[in-house]
Amino acid sequence: MENNITWEQFMAVDLRVGTIVQAEAFPQARKPAYKLWVDLGELGIKKSSAQITKRYTLEEVVGKQVICVTNFPKKQIGPWLSEVLVTGFEDEEGHIVLAQPQANVPNGKRLI
């Protein structure tokens, strides 16, 4: 089944790279998750919640570059207000693998 989109539709999703600068446990989340602070360059540091506890420790996630959707509405997750969506893929067991650039790029750069 072919489901083509236009360039304009693709560009409507603001996908940018950022570096996780802080991570904390999020015990109030319904599913195991971390609270993340992501440096998105010119957009500033934005908060997110990510269900990545099965594949990443708090210590190892800090410093990783990730790809984020920056133009979703903010989402209240329990007591936490998520400002961006950190993207990833499900592995064969359903655990999230972070979507990352292959090499370091400046924070805030847009995926094109």
Side-chain angles (χ1 to χ4, degrees):
M1 180 173 128
E2 199 170 302
N3 190 14
N4 295 329
I5 64 171
T6 66
W7 179 254
E8 290 76 22
Q9 289 170 316
F10 172 71
M11 291 305 290
V13 181
D14 194 9
L15 291 158
R16 298 197 184 226
V17 69
T19 301
I20 298 171
V21 294
Q22 184 179 343
E24 293 179 4
F26 189 9
Q28 302 92 340
R30 274 189 253 140
K31 294 182 180 178
Y34 295 146
K35 294 178 185 177
L36 303 177
W37 287 260
V38 183
D39 181 350
L40 289 156
E42 65 191 33
L43 299 180
I45 294 175
K46 302 291 182 181
K47 299 184 299 184
S48 188
S49 170
Q51 296 173 5
I52 57 173
T53 61
K54 297 291 185 186
R55 293 192 63 106
Y56 304 94
T57 66
L58 285 170
E59 295 77 22
E60 73 181 322
V61 79
V62 173
K64 287 194 180 295
Q65 283 202 305
V66 291
I67 299 169
C68 301
V69 177
T70 62
N71 62 337
F72 273 143
K74 294 177 183 176
K75 183 175 182 179
Q76 193 72 45
I77 303 171
W80 187 250
L81 185 62
S82 181
E83 301 173 298
V84 297
L85 173 69
V86 174
T87 63
F89 302 92
E90 284 188 344
D91 67 13
E92 58 281 343
E93 297 174 355
H95 305 307
I96 301 300
V97 177
L98 292 169
Q100 299 178 272
Q102 196 171 19
N104 281 343
V105 294
N107 289 334
K109 287 293 183 181
R110 189 165 183 171
L111 179 73
I112 53 171

